[in-house]
Structures are given as structure tokens and as C-alpha cells.
Amino acid sequence: MDGPNPFGAIREFEHDGTTYKMADLTVLEDEGICEPSRLPVSIRILLESVLRNVDGELITEEDVRNAASWAPDVPDVEVPFTPSRVVLQDLTGVPAVVDLAALRSAVERKGKDPKLVEPSVPCDLVIDHSVQVDFYGSEDAYEQNVELEYERNKERYRALKWAQQAFDSFRVVPPGTGIVHQVNLEYLGQVVHDRETDGENWILPDTLVGTDSHTPMIGGIGVVGWGVGGIEAEAAMLGQPITMKLPEVVGVRLTGALPEGATATDLVLHVTEDLREVGVVDRFVEFFGPGVGNLTVADRATISNMAPEQGSTISVFPVDDATLDYLELTGRDPEHIELVKEYLQAQGLYGEQEPEYTEVVEIDLSEITPSLAGPKRPQDRVGMPEMKRHFRKLVHGEFEDELHELDEEQLARWLGEGGHEDDPRRKPDVPEVGELSKKIPVTMPDGTETEIGHGSVVVSAITSCTNTSNPSVMIAAALLAKNAVECGLEVPSFVKTSLAPGSRVVTAYLEASGLMPYLEELGYNVVGYGCTTCIGNAGPLPEPIEDAIDAHDLWTTSVLSGNRNFEARIHPKVRANYLASPPLVVAYGLAGRMDINLEKEPLGTDDEGEPVYLADLWPGVDEIQSTIQQSVAPEMFKEKYADVFEGDERWEALEAPTGDVYEWDPTSTYIREPPFFKDFPLEKPGVSDIADARCLMLLGDTVTTDHISPAGPFSSNQPAGRWLLDQGVEPVDFNTYGSRRGNHEVMMRGTFANVRIRNEMLDDVEGGYTIHFPTNDETTVFDASGRYRDEDTPLIVMAGVEFGTGSSRDWAAKGTDLLGIRATIAESYERIYRDNLVGMGVLPLQFQEGDGWDSLGLDGDEHFHIKGLDDGLSVKDELTVVAERADGSTVEFPVTAQVGTPAAVKYVENGGILHFVLRRLLQNN
């Protein structure tokens, strides 16, 4: 047998007359390396990858022993993981393509063959993050939104079409098809690959990394995959193993079954709350136990989707008979399904497993209750009956200092603390509490008179692959809509309604069930097949609504079936955002307000003037399941995915560059060659002490990647907008930060520019502003960074806990680097952002336990000296920071470099992971 054969584990596997090569895990037990059955399934998948990819150079037999050494008390070792494929979405995929194109340009400038830069694993990019809800509530909303999408993004899409022809292993799913994770779940995911490599047939587990934090959704069908930054994904595409610490694995034992009225969305919000409390950052999560069999694969995928909100790297389920049934339902080849089962059985990876875990968490499905999460964090679950009290307390807390001479009894009643219950069969007697209960008259563009106030729902969106991949909650929403229409209920005119399925199959089964007209009657017309509201592409609100919000400082709300609700993400003018199941999205849309107890208060009145309650509209489990069985069929999946890479007539007509090297347009405002690899030295820059640094931003807790690198729209008053104006771009054509990620000029100006970010060096100021020292000038973050660059002053950023939580945005790290920030110092980091910083050569440092900039008495106006780097950097290096105040006094404190592996040390020394890869390519060729 040719090639490396570590421990004699590369063996033949016969199936249906075909002979495959495989890395046989059972051999490791025979060789005394480990007992695979006691290892968590996800660790066995990592182990198989290491074993199969041993080459004696990048991956060795010692790496196999390290992966096999997993124990509940996890040894401090690293493993090199080689995913079998990479998935991308367009907001993170465009900058990845731009980087690959820039690498080819750099190689060509060195006189080498640009095709040295070529993905070594299959890559699929799904265009799903660009469609925006400009039009809604009409039958032609979809067509109008797609037209605008192409008009705004054709330059970016040309670059993606170029990549499709320039790289051999790069496929693009065009716009209007679906959301990357749902397409991955329903079509791209194979569970097991049978592929030809160097003329030989191999069989191996399907594994992946993706440039989106919700990549772990694929764990619903037992596939190990997680989100990484675009930087790390690009390195994986180019054959660089992802080096990681061997992770702890938390087992979640599920028992019982969901009760009537509880949905998979309610379950995932409970799971997210529980796992955040347990603490699963940097850990794998596996689900097991008798309750697993009571969840459909679509339910499992909903849970796996929210792994990043839970804090875990992955949240994965076993492959069992239900998984195979799902593969059959979604139109996969029956022969492949049989191959999946036989291979996984041979590896001991099929069906229920009860291995050892680092920790076990118990969750009883029968205790799950209807829930929402918000107003700005997915882990902040609120029971549906508590929503009224919760929201009113929230608003009271925001305006408490401005309230005067309120009747305390009235206020207590309004807050729900006075023991008074309104008679549910009459119109509630709303206490008069001045500012808190004010209503603002609004005349809508069509002349309709209405009014809004604190708590008004101005966005109600059925959106996101989290839930639109699950027929049970989609059919439940449609049945609830049917019941509401038949009762004569309507959605208030001030509510912006939308339906954005994660695949065209959803539309097919809603139409087949006869339920689509009822959703449309309430305004939930299809607006696009993409992330829309969940990614921040909710689009503008009607102008009178935005004007009323601004003029009266209203705390309006959104309710969406998504996974993210961070501050200013959904819409910059909507202050409170709540995640909920699709049927609850419709219910709150009908109610028009969040400060309502849907258990006891009516959604509205029927044609006879009688109150209609949520219980009157809620469909039963039997009706939901019966509708699914009659409406969802494999033929739908086969038909909708038959030409998934072809696109519509707009995609076909789109002209794109050709050739191996991208032709950069220096006047483009969308796609520009980034500066990372220009004038590229073959010698690595190394590391050294950082002296006389200034603090650019002083940040609090839970600063998200949305705060650091927003994805949504921006104004002409912000640095990015001013730059575009200088290029002759009118504000109406600015598009969003997300759409401009192929242009570093826009993105570096958008870094730390979220309208809700708070720099603690400034008093009561929101937005991307800071103080330039020593002049004490208050200016934008970008302008200050430019002045510091001219003065040759290095920069740092300080933050609290959970720095960089949220989406896997490589520009949150790229922008940090381009602003001249050499190091960040935080109390804790979210994994992906930390790794992205390392991937850009920025040093993430962590305060010692109990320390923080506030407790140390730091104001951000000090000079900072980071010492201990002159002798080089090592894994988890202990360094010293000296902060020097203007009066000459100093504060000295220890920090730990969050550089967890020798490979990560190399990346920092090289100025970033792609710099390391490029040097290796050039030096080896």
C-alpha cells in the first residue's frame, strides 16, 4: 500500500463492489493507542482526520497519539485538524476570495506560477447575506428585492464568478437559492465522503470549517464542523491544518419529550441559557440520552445552529436511524445512505453512544416552556408569560432618571408588581405613567393613521436558517396565520413583516400545504432566500416610523426567528430585539407590541368583537405533523437542488473577469487589492516589546464583532461614508458595510464604528469616537488612528469580558490590524475573534483573574509598555504591561498571551496566518 500507513491503520473497505481506502480507528485499540469507544464521538472524528492525514511533516504519528490521549481531564496537547471541505457565505466569502486573489498577485509579482495558490479541499460559497428587505408585504416583494440585490452587488458577484472559473475546487451557489447552513444541511452535507484522491478511492467522515459562526448547524446530522474566521478558512483551503488545543467535551443528556405548545425554538433558547451558565467556550458539546430519539433531525439542527450563542465550538448529535431517514427525505442517493451506515458502523460511530465526557449536563425536554430571548443577547431567555413585566421593567430602567411625580401605585400596576390583574375579557385599564405609556400618532406613507410607543413591534420577521430549516415551526406559523385570518385578525400597519426561507423547499411545502396564502394575507410574503433580518438586512422602516422613533426616543422592538439580536444589529433605530419561534413571531406581529402577556391577554378581537387569544390560534402537534407528512416530500428537495449552482437569468447574464490572476480596478469601491501582501518580505518580522503605545478604545463587557465591525448600513457622516462621497458615490448607493468587505478602505474606516459602541474614555457618547492623546482632541476612531500612524505610535485596545463575541467576522481582526493596533488586552475573549486576531498577527492579551482596566484604575490616557517579547513569544506567554500616567506614576500588571499553540506563535511571528502560508509557498517553490 503506497503512502504513509501510521500504525497500519490505512486499510481497505469494501462496499457494493468498490474498494476504498480508510483510516480504521479500530486498529488503534489493537495497537494499544487508545480505546475509541470511550472517546466522545467528535474526538474520534478529529482522531480519524489526524490519522488519515499523517505525512511525516505537517502531521506526524505523535499527533495521532496526542489526539488519542483525550481523557475527561483533557491533556494539554494540540492536534492538527484537516477538514474535508470548506463552506463560505458571501459577506465573509468575498474578502476570502479577495485575499486569495491578492495572494495570486503576490506570487506572480515574485515571478512564480500564480496557480500555486489553489484550494486543496472542495469549497462551496453560498450567496445569502446580501439580500435586504427593501420591499415587503406584496406579491412582488421578492422580485423587487432581488433586482436591488443584483444592482447593489454586481461588482462583488463578478468577483465570485471569477473565482468559480479561476479555482478548480470552488463552487458558487448563486443568489436567490437559500441560506448557507440550510443548503449545507439539506444538500451539501454528505455525512460520509467517498472521493477520489491521487487516483485512489477514499472513504472518510464529512468534516468542515465555515466562514460563518453558525456552521455547527451541520451537527444536526452528525457532521463535525465549526465556524472560523475567513483568515483561518483561507489557510485551510490552501492545505494548512487547523491547529487546535485538544478540547474538553461536555455531554448533554436529554430525557423526556417536548410538551404540547413547546417548540424546538423554545428548546434551543433553554439550551443556550443553560450552556452559557455552565460555560462551554472552547469546548465541544455532544448530545446523547433517551431524549435524542424524541427530537427530529430538524429539531436537532435548530439546537446545533446556535452553538456559538451557547458558547461552544460545536454542538453535535449522533448519526442514527433518524439521520438516515432525514437524508432520504431530503433526496440524497439511497446507495450513498447505505454507504454512510456501513462505514460508520465499521468505525463504531453509528447510533447511540455513551462515552466519557469532561462534564455531563442534564436537560429534561418535558420542562421546556414557550420562550423568547432578548433584548440584546441570545442567552437572555425570557419566559413568554414574563415578557410584559420584563419589557416594562426594561423601559422603566432606561427612563427612570427622567420620570417625575409619577403615582407610585399606578407605576407599580404598570410594572406588574402591584398584584392587580386586568380582567382578560375586557380592554385592559392601562395605568397612566406619563413618558412610559405615551403613544405617538403616525401617518403611514399610504395615509393610514396609527400610533406607536415604547414596546411597539416595528419588525416581525420569519427569518434565519435556525428555524426556517425546521418544517414543524414553519408549518406551525402558517397554521397559526390561517387561524388568525379566519378570525379576522390583522397585523397593525406599523409592523414590517417578512418571510425569508432558508431554501426554496420551504416555499414549495408551504404552497403544497395550501397555507402560504394565509401568511401572505398577514403580510408575511416571501422577501428573499437569504439571512435578511437576522444578519442586519432588515432594510429601512417606513420614514414616518423612523421619524417618530427619533423624535420621541422610543424603545421600539423587533421579533425574529433568528439566532442573533445584538445591539443595533437588526436595525440601528430598534433598541430591543427578541428571538422567538416562527409562530410566536406571527403572534407578536398580530399583537403589535412586546409588553403583552400572551397567556392572558388577547391578540385582538374577531369579527364579532370577541377577544382572540393565542391559545385559540395555536395549532396542535397532531395537526402540525399531519400537515408535514402530507406536504413535505423528497421530490421537492431533488427538484429545488437539481440546478443549485446554475442560478437564474440574472446570474447567467452577469459578465465576470476570466483568467488565473484577478484584474484589479483601482477605481472600484467594492473590490480592491488589500495591502496585506504588497511589498512582501520573505523574512518573517518576528516580535518585540511594544513601547509607548496609546489606547485607542477603552471598552466594557460583551463587545461583539458587530460592535467592532458592523455589517449594516452607515451614513455620510461616518468615515466610511465620507470616503465613498469622495469617490463620487451617493449615499443612496452606499449599501452596507457587509457588502463592502472586499474594500479595505471602507472596512478599516468602519472598524469600531458601530453606532451603539461605547468608548469608556468618553462620557455618554455612542458610536466610533475616541480621544487622541496627548492633544485630547475628540475625534473618530479612524481619524485618531491615522494621526497615531503619522506619529509612529503603536496602539492597543482594552476591554472587559467576552470581547469579540458574535459572528465570525475576519474584518473585526483585519480592521483592528489596519488601524495600527498591535495588541488587545481583555478580561476574556470569544474563541473566533481571538483566533482571528492571531491570524492577523495582532497579540490578544488577557488580564489575570480579578484584574481589569477598571479595577486597576486605568483611564485609557496612559502610555503603555508591553514587556517580555524581546526574547520571543511562546505558548501562553506571561508578559508584563506597564501603564505610565501623565504624572509619572505607573501601574504594572501581568497579562497572558492568548496564543495557545506553537502554530499560533508562528502566525504572530509572521504577521499573520496567510503571511505564514505565503512565505511557505514561496520558499518551497
Side-chain angles (χ1 to χ4, degrees), residues 63-82:
D63 293 317
V64 176
R65 294 182 185 277
N66 285 341
S69 71
W70 190 93
D73 184 10
V74 181
D76 186 16
V77 296
E78 62 175 30
V79 293
F81 170 59
T82 306

Side-chain angles (χ1 to χ4, degrees), residues 304-366:
S304 295
N305 175 279
M306 289 189 69
E309 285 72 37
Q310 296 153 23
S312 64
T313 304
I314 63 170
S315 292
V316 68
F317 284 82
V319 178
D320 56 14
D321 290 348
T323 315
L324 301 189
D325 290 343
Y326 180 82
L327 295 179
E328 182 180 358
L329 173 67
T330 50
R332 265 74 165 212
D333 186 338
E335 291 185 7
H336 181 75
I337 296 172
E338 186 59 36
L339 179 63
V340 168
K341 184 173 184 178
E342 286 193 22
Y343 170 74
L344 293 180
Q345 285 177 330
Q347 291 279 45
L349 295 172
Y350 188 80
E352 177 67 10
Q353 310 275 331
E354 292 212 20
E356 296 178 347
Y357 291 112
T358 305
E359 181 178 356
V360 173
V361 177
E362 299 272 352
I363 294 180
D364 185 350
L365 301 181
S366 67

Side-chain angles (χ1 to χ4, degrees), residues 771-778 861:
I771 297 174
H772 173 266
F773 298 109
T775 63
N776 292 320
D777 292 342
E778 183 177 324
D861 59 357

Side-chain angles (χ1 to χ4, degrees), residues 651-670:
W651 184 257
E652 285 187 19
L654 188 68
E655 294 183 359
T658 58
D660 295 334
V661 180
Y662 192 76
E663 297 177 7
W664 303 101
D665 178 359
T667 65
S668 172
T669 59
Y670 275 100

Side-chain angles (χ1 to χ4, degrees), residues 236-295:
M237 291 161 69
L238 296 173
Q240 182 71 22
I242 294 174
T243 305
M244 58 188 295
K245 300 277 286 184
L246 194 60
E248 294 181 340
V249 183
V250 175
V252 179
R253 186 173 184 272
L254 301 179
T255 58
L258 289 175
E260 184 83 27
T263 68
T265 316
D266 302 319
L267 172 57
V268 75
L269 296 181
H270 279 266
V271 170
T272 300
E273 178 186 46
D274 291 348
L275 292 185
R276 274 290 173 179
E277 188 173 334
V278 169
V280 293
V281 173
D282 284 339
R283 301 165 107 182
F284 284 8
V285 169
E286 289 187 9
F287 293 87
F288 71 105
V292 169
N294 294 324
L295 296 176

Side-chain angles (χ1 to χ4, degrees), residues 423-620:
D423 179 354
R425 289 287 164 177
R426 65 178 174 83
K427 187 175 181 179
D429 176 22
V430 180
E432 174 53 49
V433 285
E435 171 71 21
L436 299 177
S437 58
K438 68 183 179 184
K439 296 295 181 184
I440 308 303
V442 174
T443 303
M444 298 297 288
D446 64 359
T448 303
E449 299 289 339
T450 188
E451 60 180 21
I452 63 172
H454 298 306
S456 292
V457 174
V458 294
V459 173
S460 173
I462 302 175
T463 179
S464 171
C465 51
T466 310
N467 286 290
T468 68
S469 60
N470 193 331
S472 67
V473 291
M474 295 301 290
I475 291 293
L479 287 169
L480 190 146
K482 174 179 182 290
N483 296 336
V485 170
E486 291 176 346
C487 285
L489 298 186
E490 296 180 351
V491 173
S493 60
F494 56 78
V495 182
K496 182 172 186 177
T497 50
S498 60
L499 168 60
S503 82
R504 288 184 169 270
V505 175
V506 178
T507 307
Y509 68 67
L510 286 175
E511 290 175 344
S513 69
L515 295 172
M516 183 66 90
Y518 297 103
L519 286 165
E520 294 173 340
E521 179 72 17
L522 295 180
Y524 295 94
N525 301 76
V526 171
V527 295
Y529 295 92
C531 301
T532 60
T533 303
C534 190
I535 188 57
N537 288 352
L541 301 176
E543 189 173 342
I545 298 295
E546 293 200 2
D547 290 345
I549 292 171
D550 289 341
H552 300 279
D553 195 18
L554 295 179
W555 270 64
T556 55
T557 67
S558 75
V559 58
L560 65 149
S561 61
N563 47 44
R564 289 277 163 84
N565 57 345
F566 298 133
E567 202 170 28
R569 178 186 178 100
I570 306 307
H571 192 286
K573 296 185 185 297
V574 179
R575 302 300 293 265
N577 306 284
Y578 292 91
L579 307 180
S581 66
L584 284 184
V585 168
V586 176
Y588 280 98
L590 287 163
R593 60 191 181 100
M594 294 305 298
D595 60 334
I596 182 172
N597 181 352
L598 290 184
E599 263 196 353
K600 296 183 176 181
E601 296 179 68
L603 292 163
T605 57
D606 64 16
D607 295 334
E608 304 299 321
E610 290 297 310
V612 179
Y613 295 85
L614 181 62
D616 300 328
L617 306 180
W618 197 271

Side-chain angles (χ1 to χ4, degrees), residues 526-785:
V526 171
V527 295
Y529 295 92
C531 301
T532 60
T533 303
C534 190
I535 188 57
N537 288 352
L541 301 176
E543 189 173 342
I545 298 295
E546 293 200 2
D547 290 345
I549 292 171
D550 289 341
H552 300 279
D553 195 18
L554 295 179
W555 270 64
T556 55
T557 67
S558 75
V559 58
L560 65 149
S561 61
N563 47 44
R564 289 277 163 84
N565 57 345
F566 298 133
E567 202 170 28
R569 178 186 178 100
I570 306 307
H571 192 286
K573 296 185 185 297
V574 179
R575 302 300 293 265
N577 306 284
Y578 292 91
L579 307 180
S581 66
L584 284 184
V585 168
V586 176
Y588 280 98
L590 287 163
R593 60 191 181 100
M594 294 305 298
D595 60 334
I596 182 172
N597 181 352
L598 290 184
E599 263 196 353
K600 296 183 176 181
E601 296 179 68
L603 292 163
T605 57
D606 64 16
D607 295 334
E608 304 299 321
E610 290 297 310
V612 179
Y613 295 85
L614 181 62
D616 300 328
L617 306 180
W618 197 271
V621 171
D622 290 344
E623 184 181 11
I624 293 169
Q625 292 306 316
S626 173
T627 306
I628 291 173
Q629 289 169 9
Q630 295 170 23
S631 307
V632 183
E635 290 71 31
M636 291 178 176
F637 293 88
K638 292 176 182 177
E639 177 191 344
K640 297 302 179 184
Y641 284 110
D643 54 358
V644 67
F645 301 108
E646 300 303 317
D648 60 14
E649 68 281 357
R650 301 176 187 88
W651 184 257
E652 285 187 19
L654 188 68
E655 294 183 359
T658 58
D660 295 334
V661 180
Y662 192 76
E663 297 177 7
W664 303 101
D665 178 359
T667 65
S668 172
T669 59
Y670 275 100
I671 305 292
R672 289 204 174 192
E673 183 176 7
F676 307 125
F677 314 116
K678 291 183 177 179
D679 304 319
F680 188 78
L682 289 180
E683 293 298 319
K684 67 181 182 182
V687 296
S688 60
D689 286 0
I690 299 171
D692 287 315
R694 287 291 193 173
C695 182
L696 187 63
M697 294 289 281
L698 189 68
L699 302 169
D701 295 339
T702 319
V703 172
T704 71
T705 49
D706 279 275
H707 287 117
I708 302 167
S709 183
F714 51 92
S715 74
S716 56
N717 295 323
Q718 294 173 280
R722 292 202 300 269
W723 185 85
L724 286 173
L725 285 176
D726 290 343
Q727 311 307 306
V729 179
E730 293 298 320
V732 70
D733 297 319
F734 280 2
N735 212 329
T736 62
Y737 283 118
S739 69
R740 299 275 179 181
R741 285 181 180 164
N743 184 346
H744 62 279
E745 296 286 0
V746 171
M747 296 310 297
M748 62 194 286
R749 287 167 171 81
T751 305
F752 295 107
N754 186 299
V755 295
R756 294 285 176 250
I757 196 169
R758 287 181 178 270
N759 186 348
E760 301 297 338
M761 288 191 282
L762 302 169
D763 294 328
D764 297 323
V765 174
E766 286 187 324
Y769 298 96
T770 191
I771 297 174
H772 173 266
F773 298 109
T775 63
N776 292 320
D777 292 342
E778 183 177 324
T779 184
T780 66
V781 170
F782 176 75
D783 290 343
S785 72

